[in-house]
Amino acid sequence: AWASVWTRKFGLRRAGFKAAEIAALKDAYGLLYRKVPLAEVIATMKASASGAVKELAAFLESSKRGFAHPGSG
C-alpha cells in the first residue's frame, strides 16, 4: 500500500499538481475514512480552497452507485 501512495503522489506531480494541491487531496482522502456521515465529509470538501478537492467532492456527490464509507453503515 505504501508504494501505491507514493506512485499516486508522483503521478499527480507529473500531471502538474502543485505540492499544496497534493497535500489538500491527501487530507481530503483521509476525511473519507473517518466515521462521520459522507454528507458531512462532502460539505467539508466543498468548503476547501482547493479546486481538486472540490472536484473530488462533486464526483462523490454525483455518484450513482455510492461510495463505501465507514460512516455510512
Side-chain angles (χ1 to χ4, degrees):
W2 179 84
S4 66
V5 170
W6 282 104
T7 302
R8 280 184 244 127
K9 180 179 177 179
F10 290 127
L12 289 170
R13 223 183 260 165
R14 271 191 302 252
F17 284 80
K18 303 286 185 208
E21 286 280 283
I22 294 171
L25 282 168
K26 180 182 174 188
D27 292 343
Y29 185 78
L31 286 173
L32 289 172
Y33 292 97
R34 293 199 179 131
K35 290 189 174 187
V36 295
L38 185 58
E40 188 177 321
V41 171
I42 290 172
T44 301
M45 287 180 175
K46 283 181 168 182
S48 172
S50 166
V53 173
K54 288 179 181 179
E55 189 173 337
L56 176 58
F59 170 78
L60 291 169
E61 194 170 46
S62 69
S63 173
K64 290 181 177 33
R65 296 180 66 189
F67 178 78
H69 172 333
S72 63

